[in-house]
Amino acid sequence: MAITVRVGATPDVRGVAHASAQLEDAFDRKGFALALHPLLVEVAGAAADTCKTRFVRTEGSVVGDGAGDDGIAHVMIGLLPGRSPEVKARLSEGALELLRRCVTPGSGLRLHASAEVRDLDASYRKSADA
């Protein structure tokens, strides 16, 4: 089982993160979201009151030959085009640091953490009802 995290902030910021079943009880999801939102505000210029995070569970993960006790956490953040490579790199590094702080794997569990930031397709749309 993995966890998918959707992060949104203004119409121009959204993201997805995955965490494997081995991290289910080790991932402080609320702490991750509450720390990620200010990062999006500071680095990407998002509005704090529009940041959203959604966690979705998915099944299965295997690292290498499957013999190790490995957990996987991956964050994807999508931005409308126009952010510099430096901004994207700062968001990736910040998301990795937050994963390290918010995922506490059990004894012997190895955390494989990664993050990426990419431009959203021009077709991206958002709607929020009052």
Side-chain angles (χ1 to χ4, degrees):
M1 168 177 40
I3 303 162
T4 300
V5 183
R6 292 208 179 269
V7 180
T10 68
D12 64 334
V13 181
R14 72 175 180 88
V16 180
H18 302 273
S20 61
Q22 296 88 332
L23 302 177
E24 176 69 21
D25 295 329
F27 188 11
D28 176 5
R29 292 177 286 283
K30 185 173 184 177
F32 177 80
L34 292 176
L36 182 62
H37 296 174
L39 178 70
L40 293 170
V41 170
E42 176 186 338
V43 177
D49 62 345
T50 62
C51 292
K52 298 169 296 300
T53 301
R54 181 177 72 151
F55 298 89
V56 180
R57 296 169 69 158
T58 58
E59 297 296 323
S61 67
V62 177
V63 174
D65 64 6
D69 195 11
D70 298 293
I72 302 168
H74 179 69
V75 177
M76 293 180 287
I77 298 173
L79 305 171
L80 284 178
R83 301 314 198 297
S84 70
E86 294 79 16
V87 165
K88 293 175 183 178
R90 286 180 56 203
L91 287 172
S92 291
E93 289 297 329
L96 275 176
E97 178 57 34
L98 293 177
L99 282 175
R100 288 184 206 102
R101 286 193 310 196
C102 295
V103 176
T104 311
S107 178
L109 184 65
R110 182 175 173 194
L111 173 62
H112 296 263
S114 57
E116 66 177 305
V117 178
R118 62 176 118 171
D119 291 335
L120 291 172
D121 187 80
S123 66
Y124 176 75
R125 299 292 185 270
K126 175 186 165 185
S127 175
D129 294 331

